[in-house]
Amino acid sequence: MRVNEKYSSLPDEEKGIHIINIRAIEDIGYIQHESTLLNSLCQDPDANCKYGLCFRDGKRKVDYILVYHYKKSSVSRTLTRRIHHNDSSARSIKQDHPLPGKGGHLDMGENEPHMDYHEDDKRFRREEYEGNLMEAGLELERDEDTKIHGIGFVKIHAPWNVLCREAEFLKLKMPTKKVYQINQPHGLLKKINSVLQKITEPIQPKVAEHKPQTVKRLSYPFSREKQHLFKIVHCYYVFVCQGITSLLANGVYSAAYPLHDLLCEEWASYGVFYKYQPIDLVRKYFGEKIGLYFAWLGVYTQMLIPASIVGVIVFLYGCATVDENIPSMEMCDQRNNIIMCPLCDKTCSYWKMSSACATARASHLFDNPATVFFSVFMALWAATFMEHWKRKQMRLNYRWDLTGFEEEETDKEKLTWKDRFPAYFTNFVGIIFMIGLTFAIVFGVIIYRISTAAALAISSTPSGRSSVRVTVTATAVIINLVVIIILDEVYGCIARWLTQIEVPKTDKSFEERLIFKAFLLKFVNAYTPIFYVAFFKGRFVGRPGDYVYIFRSFRMEECAPGGCLMELCIQLSIIMLGKQLIQNNLFEIGIPKMKKLIRYLKLKRQRSLDHEEHMKKKQRYEVDYNLEPFAGLTPEYMEMIIQFGFVTLFVASFPLAPLFALLNNIIEIRLDAKKFVTELRRPVAVRAKDIGIWYNILRGVGKLAVIINAFVISFTSDFIPRLVYLYMYSENGTMHGFVNHTLSSFNVSDFQEGTAPNDPMELGYEVQICRYKDYREPPWSENKYDISKDFWAVLAARLAFVIVFQNLVMFMSDFVDWIIPDIPKDISQQIHKEKVLMVEVFMKEEQGKLQMLETWKDKDMKKGENCNNHSPKLSRSHSGSVSSCHSYHIDV
């Protein structure tokens, strides 16, 4: 909105307001059901004004609040103050009419200390800005007589004419008086829908907006000239002041926010965790952007239910078949007497494979033929979820009148490529450095694992050495978890700083670049330890007599006899559950409450100095000021996208991941709802028709999941080696002998000097041949310890499986994408129907205008004829009479 250009003392971006949202709400009510389901903060209409939701006249609603700090002397705290007058011509117009309400700026008396330069400059900029707001048509009221010492509030009300003007400028769609029937299913579909409605009735929220609608009003961009066509029962609007961001950054104002006035017991309550969300009410209260987030979160959580069920079935299948698994039975059979080579140099001795029986049996719970099926299922599940969300999003766009909405953005800064190059170079170097830092920390944890395992092997008793691997794995994962949580916070701040120095052209571009950088850094941070265990651990260890060493001291660590899949499962479960419990839930609850408590204690300490202020009743805007500022939806989406990665990327090794994600999200929805309503200041409503760049990130993670799961099944699990043995080497077509086939032999006399066990007789007898997991030639072969043909056969099968699995699953995913239309058929029909009906409405209106015009013309012609038929006595006044007759003509 433009303001008078003569106020040039403020930057251009600080001159005026821009209303970003105005829309009609018909029947914003609720169903009474045992208790009030949609509570106003006040029970009676007049109470709203008592708690600061209205101006002091009790009629005008407070739509927005500006908060500022001011210096207030102890002598004049309780006095009514006047606006400080200044002779400056640029300020005289605004200061001749101070803002109504209690408080203002102090008159400086002889004994009153003058404000410093910075305070006076802030006060001047506030007066300029508030004057511009009033010129734009807004109504303001000041309140410094509050319970919070040194804090002033400016209440802003947007009159109806301002809202109409801005709605017309922004071409916002509003409901017209024309109502039409929504197409309803017939026949079998109608019966199925009726049955489903009855079944799901207990889990539906008890609000009117959630009931199925049979009629809908036509919506059309608002026009004041055609205001008679629109049906506006009640108007919900939120506006944001242009330039307020720079004023907040410079400390002219300390906060700016709309007020909370509704609480939803059918949404922000843990007691309704089993119910659907009242998404339409969420959208009306917070705007489309936040409404779409909670709608997406609800769809994602809903889709996790079938994935969780299948994952539990796969896990139970592993439990049921563990006693029938021949490889684990062979590993646990002490009669086989398989002697394994030492796990470390000198201090470690030979050990029997049967001592790893528990690990082998546990590995089968996650490494069985059903996990391959589950990987394919989850790939198709991800594709189906994306398509389901697109259709749901289109339904919401239709219901919320966003089908024709397009975001308009103007360039904020015009910089050349040379201007931007230093920022781009800094971004590239910064991101590479952060990724390198993550790799370095993971490498440090690897060193910790290796050195700790060696130390425990030296100091532990023989019985305690069997638990060395579990101890090292658990402690290392906990270290990784702590590092991930700390670096997540650091990377979020660095990503914001890197984006700011880029100076993106638009706000949307800024948000997308920030999201991409933060996601890239946090993705690498969260998944690098998991990638190490899945694809690198145990693959570059060498062999007995020729091991690979780090810093010439530490031997590379090996996988357990049952493979690294079990350790991968432990790593995934601890990091996933730890992030959800600590970072997502504990931090979301604990940190805001801690900050709120600190602010409360500070204010309480200040109030104790002024008993009169302490006895005042807190207004709504004072209560909201103590809440945490809204920081955007990026942290909320980020934690869910990272969780989506845990659910899809390594699901072949952890089929229970969807179940844990489902349990977390059931709590997460209500936790976020409660946080938005009670812990955060009410955010400004923002219109949006989709979830933006997050959808592309989800698709990318879904595609990457197919590739990663193919490699996990091929290279991390023993699925392919078992198939190769079963169809190429098994003598009787069973898995008997598989364990012996995967182990190579080593002659202990071939140990390098200084690496042989210090106590070779620990087992009670001398060992001449020990076994290790690899495909190599035996010591009695001509090419001893060389890679055998079996290795190449297994490798070829692994690569072939990756290619076939990846292409087959990708094809199936694309087929699901193609076969499911993005726009539901009924919605496309309704949109077409709306366009036709809208044309009819305006055609009828134009026809009505033409008929009215023809009627007036006929009346005008008859008047002219009557005037021409006057008697000759009146002829002298003929021209005047005709003129008089024609004066009745009305121009439409």
Side-chain angles (χ1 to χ4, degrees):
M1 180 183 298
R2 296 179 181 177
V3 296
N4 199 319
E5 295 179 359
K6 68 180 179 179
Y7 299 103
S8 57
S9 57
L10 286 175
D12 292 338
E13 66 272 11
E14 296 181 9
K15 298 177 180 177
I17 68 157
H18 184 51
I19 298 174
I20 63 167
N21 207 347
I22 174 174
R23 54 180 173 270
I25 297 179
E26 304 179 40
D27 309 323
I28 180 170
Y30 54 88
I31 303 170
Q32 295 289 349
H33 180 71
E34 295 185 2
S35 62
T36 304
L37 305 176
L38 184 63
N39 292 329
S40 173
L41 289 172
C42 311
Q43 298 301 324
D44 58 282
D46 295 333
N48 286 348
C49 304
K50 297 176 185 175
Y51 291 101
L53 294 177
C54 296
F55 275 31
R56 296 190 180 277
D57 57 13
K59 298 178 181 178
R60 292 171 292 172
K61 186 175 180 248
V62 177
D63 300 315
Y64 206 69
I65 290 290
L66 300 178
V67 187
Y68 60 91
H69 290 273
Y70 68 93
K71 290 186 177 179
K72 179 170 156 182
S73 67
S74 59
V75 177
S76 55
R77 261 183 203 160
T78 58
L79 299 178
T80 304
R81 301 166 178 84
R82 302 190 303 271
I83 296 286
H84 180 62
H85 289 270
N86 191 299
D87 295 332
S88 173
S89 60
R91 296 163 59 189
S92 61
I93 294 178
K94 301 178 183 65
Q95 295 180 357
D96 287 342
H97 305 284
L99 297 184
K102 293 186 179 181
H105 297 284
L106 296 171
D107 279 336
M108 301 299 177
E110 294 180 1
N111 299 326
E112 201 64 48
H114 285 273
M115 294 183 182
D116 59 25
Y117 169 77
H118 295 291
E119 289 298 321
D120 191 60
D121 178 64
K122 291 178 182 178
R123 177 172 53 82
F124 166 70
R125 295 180 70 180
R126 283 198 298 268
E127 291 169 357
E128 289 287 297
Y129 187 66
E130 290 162 10
N132 291 334
L133 295 183
M134 288 190 289
E135 280 196 352
L138 296 177
E139 298 172 2
L140 278 65
E141 184 178 86
R142 189 189 308 279
D143 186 4
E144 290 180 358
D145 188 19
T146 65
K147 199 171 181 180
I148 305 178
H149 173 69
I151 299 294
F153 297 88
V154 176
K155 296 177 278 188
I156 303 177
H157 170 73
W160 176 253
N161 61 324
V162 175
L163 296 174
C164 292
R165 180 184 65 205
E166 292 300 311
E168 183 176 30
F169 173 74
L170 294 174
K171 300 178 181 178
L172 298 181
K173 281 189 172 183
M174 305 291 285
T176 64
K177 295 178 181 178
K178 177 67 176 177
V179 178
Y180 69 95
Q181 290 288 129
I182 297 177
N183 294 338
Q184 299 295 322
H186 300 284
L188 182 61
L189 284 178
K190 184 177 181 180
K191 293 181 180 179
I192 293 174
N193 285 345
S194 177
V195 172
L196 289 177
Q197 287 176 11
K198 290 180 180 179
I199 293 174
T200 60
E201 186 176 359
I203 60 175
Q204 300 292 344
K206 306 299 182 183
V207 292
E209 278 76 2
H210 209 78
K211 287 190 172 183
Q213 302 294 324
T214 58
V215 295
K216 188 178 185 295
R217 292 189 181 277
L218 285 177
S219 296
Y220 190 76
F222 183 78
S223 171
R224 285 177 288 178
E225 293 182 357
K226 298 181 175 63
Q227 192 168 341
H228 60 282
L229 294 176
F230 293 91
K231 177 72 172 179
I232 303 177
V233 178
H234 176 66
C235 193
Y236 167 78
Y237 47 84
V238 178
F239 63 90
V240 62
C241 303
Q242 291 178 342
I244 193 62
T245 304
S246 61
L247 293 175
L248 290 171
N250 294 328
V252 178
Y253 292 102
S254 59
Y257 50 87
L259 294 180
H260 280 294
D261 58 1
L262 294 176
L263 287 174
C264 207
E265 290 184 3
E266 281 292 306
W267 182 53
S269 173
Y270 295 112
V272 293
F273 71 91
Y274 60 92
K275 289 188 177 184
Y276 287 95
Q277 302 178 82
I279 290 298
D280 289 328
L281 278 184
V282 177
R283 166 251 182 177
K284 288 173 182 177
Y285 190 65
F286 290 110
E288 284 83 357
K289 192 169 187 178
I290 293 177
L292 281 172
Y293 163 71
F294 281 102
W296 174 84
L297 183 56
V299 170
Y300 172 47
T301 304
Q302 188 178 358
M303 288 293 292
L304 281 172
I305 296 175
S308 302
I309 294 173
V310 177
V312 170
I313 292 173
V314 169
F315 177 74
L316 293 178
Y317 170 82
C319 295
T321 58
V322 66
D323 292 330
E324 302 173 3
N325 183 41
I326 296 175
S328 62
M329 290 170 62
E330 288 184 346
M331 290 181 64
C332 295
D333 192 353
Q334 297 184 3
R335 294 173 298 178
N336 290 332
N337 198 29
I338 300 177
I339 308 300
M340 303 297 294
C341 295
L343 295 174
C344 62
D345 294 342
K346 297 194 294 184
T347 56
C348 298
S349 186
Y350 307 106
W351 55 285
K352 290 187 176 183
M353 176 173 274
S354 58
S355 63
C357 176
T359 305
R361 289 174 63 84
S363 296
H364 179 73
L365 302 179
F366 306 99
D367 186 6
N368 56 70
T371 57
V372 179
F373 158 76
F374 190 54
S375 299
V376 177
F377 171 82
M378 287 303 295
L380 298 179
W381 173 88
T384 306
F385 162 60
M386 300 304 295
E387 292 305 307
H388 179 47
W389 166 245
K390 281 195 292 187
R391 292 168 64 84
K392 177 69 174 180
Q393 186 173 258
M394 195 62 208
R395 288 188 181 277
L396 293 175
N397 284 341
Y398 167 72
R399 207 158 74 206
W400 296 348
D401 297 322
L402 295 170
T403 49
F405 171 73
E406 293 294 337
E407 295 183 37
E408 296 182 5
E409 297 227 27
T410 56
D411 292 355
K412 295 195 301 185
E413 300 286 345
K414 293 185 178 179
L415 301 176
T416 63
W417 185 85
K418 292 182 179 179
D419 296 329
R420 296 184 183 275
F421 177 77
Y424 289 154
F425 181 76
T426 305
N427 269 261
F428 176 77
V429 173
I431 291 174
I432 295 298
F433 175 76
M434 291 299 108
I435 294 175
L437 176 64
T438 303
F439 290 164
I441 292 174
V442 172
F443 182 73
V445 175
I446 294 171
I447 299 298
Y448 161 81
R449 295 165 65 115
I450 296 172
S451 58
T452 305
L456 290 176
I458 296 173
S459 59
S460 298
T461 60
S463 60
R465 291 175 190 172
S466 59
S467 61
V468 166
R469 188 184 297 273
V470 176
T471 304
V472 171
T473 299
T475 55
V477 172
I478 292 173
I479 293 173
N480 278 325
L481 175 62
V482 173
V483 170
I484 287 171
I485 291 174
I486 294 173
L487 288 184
D488 265 359
E489 303 301 320
V490 175
Y491 287 167
C493 298
I494 291 175
R496 179 168 290 276
W497 176 75
L498 290 175
T499 309
Q500 287 173 344
I501 65 174
E502 276 188 274
V503 193
K505 294 182 179 180
T506 64
D507 291 333
K508 184 177 180 180
S509 175
F510 178 90
E511 184 180 28
E512 290 180 347
R513 294 185 183 198
L514 171 62
I515 290 170
F516 178 75
K517 292 183 184 67
F519 172 76
L520 177 62
L521 292 175
K522 292 187 178 186
F523 181 89
V524 172
N525 182 39
Y527 293 109
T528 299
I530 300 172
F531 270 87
Y532 164 72
V533 174
F535 303 119
F536 296 97
K537 183 179 178 182
R539 308 201 178 276
F540 307 100
V541 296
R543 60 169 180 82
D546 188 21
Y547 284 114
V548 177
Y549 292 88
I550 300 176
F551 306 133
R552 298 183 179 181
S553 301
F554 301 108
R555 237 172 71 179
M556 289 293 291
E557 56 181 344
E558 303 176 41
C559 292
C564 282
L565 199 68
M566 186 61 199
E567 187 173 341
L568 177 61
C569 176
I570 295 172
Q571 187 107 354
L572 272 169
S573 58
I574 293 179
I575 292 179
M576 179 181 177
L577 296 178
K579 276 181 64 66
Q580 291 182 167
L581 180 64
I582 299 174
Q583 189 175 27
N584 299 348
N585 294 335
L586 190 61
F587 280 14
E588 286 187 11
I589 299 172
I591 291 181
K593 286 191 178 294
M594 189 179 299
K595 290 181 178 179
K596 191 176 179 180
L597 178 63
I598 293 172
R599 283 194 296 268
Y600 171 76
L601 294 176
K602 286 182 179 179
L603 292 173
K604 189 177 181 181
R605 191 161 50 246
Q606 292 174 351
R607 290 187 206 127
S608 62
L609 302 176
D610 194 329
H611 179 72
E612 184 179 344
E613 288 188 358
H614 181 68
M615 296 304 293
K616 295 172 187 173
K617 177 66 180 178
K618 262 195 175 184
Q619 302 292 320
R620 178 72 248 180
Y621 43 83
E622 295 178 79
V623 175
D624 286 4
Y625 177 69
N626 292 329
L627 300 178
E628 190 73 10
F630 176 65
L633 288 171
T634 300
E636 313 300 333
Y637 273 114
M638 188 67 72
E639 65 179 81
M640 289 295 105
I641 300 298
I642 296 296
Q643 184 203 83
F644 182 78
F646 282 116
V647 169
T648 55
L649 291 179
F650 296 94
V651 75
S653 61
F654 190 36
L656 294 179
L659 176 63
F660 290 122
L662 173 64
L663 297 175
N664 174 80
N665 288 6
I666 290 173
I667 301 173
E668 180 75 19
I669 291 176
R670 307 304 164 178
L671 176 65
D672 282 349
K674 204 170 188 65
K675 181 176 69 174
F676 271 74
V677 171
T678 62
E679 301 294 336
L680 298 178
R681 292 175 190 160
R682 185 177 179 181
V684 174
V686 178
R687 292 173 68 83
K689 63 185 302 182
D690 53 42
I691 60 174
I693 193 175
W694 295 111
Y695 181 81
N696 297 328
I697 293 176
L698 281 169
R699 285 190 65 88
V701 172
K703 298 294 184 183
L704 182 62
V706 177
I707 301 172
I708 290 178
N709 280 306
F711 277 94
V712 168
I713 295 170
S714 295
F715 289 91
T716 309
S717 76
D718 281 337
F719 177 74
I720 299 301
R722 287 197 296 263
L723 284 182
V724 171
Y725 176 79
L726 183 64
Y727 292 105
M728 292 182 62
Y729 300 103
S730 177
E731 297 178 356
N732 52 8
T734 66
M735 294 302 295
H736 287 287
F738 170 74
V739 174
N740 186 63
H741 180 262
T742 59
L743 298 177
S744 298
S745 300
F746 177 75
N747 193 327
V748 298
S749 62
D750 293 332
F751 272 120
Q752 291 181 355
E753 185 179 354
T755 62
N758 293 334
D759 184 12
M761 300 292 293
E762 184 175 315
L763 294 178
Y765 51 87
E766 184 179 359
V767 177
Q768 295 183 348
I769 299 293
C770 65
R771 310 295 296 276
Y772 62 98
K773 191 169 183 178
D774 205 347
Y775 292 99
R776 290 182 180 271
E777 296 291 341
W780 51 84
S781 172
E782 294 181 2
N783 303 314
K784 65 176 184 179
Y785 307 134
D786 284 351
I787 294 175
S788 64
K789 295 179 181 179
D790 298 345
F791 172 85
W792 299 112
V794 172
L795 179 62
R798 282 173 164 165
L799 295 176
F801 178 84
V802 168
I803 296 172
V804 173
F805 181 90
Q806 177 182 329
N807 285 279
L808 178 62
V809 175
M810 287 284 191
F811 170 77
M812 295 170 69
S813 300
D814 291 339
F815 179 75
V816 170
D817 191 359
W818 172 76
I819 201 172
I820 301 176
D822 294 346
I823 303 177
K825 186 177 180 180
D826 61 323
I827 296 298
S828 61
Q829 291 174 349
Q830 299 291 354
I831 293 173
H832 178 71
K833 184 178 180 179
E834 272 199 0
K835 292 179 180 179
V836 174
L837 290 174
M838 189 55 65
V839 172
E840 292 179 1
V841 168
F842 283 98
M843 288 292 290
K844 288 181 180 179
E845 186 195 8
E846 294 300 322
Q847 289 174 0
K849 286 182 179 180
L850 290 174
Q851 290 176 1
M852 190 179 298
L853 187 61
E854 292 294 334
T855 301
W856 284 338
K857 283 183 178 180
D858 291 342
K859 289 181 179 180
D860 191 44
M861 292 177 63
K862 289 179 181 179
K863 286 285 185 182
E865 291 176 0
N866 291 337
C867 292
N868 291 333
N869 293 333
H870 280 316
S871 61
K873 294 180 181 180
L874 301 175
S875 60
R876 286 176 297 179
S877 61
H878 176 72
S879 60
S881 300
V882 172
S883 175
S884 177
C885 292
H886 282 282
S887 67
Y888 287 96
H889 178 71
I890 300 174
D891 186 18
V892 179

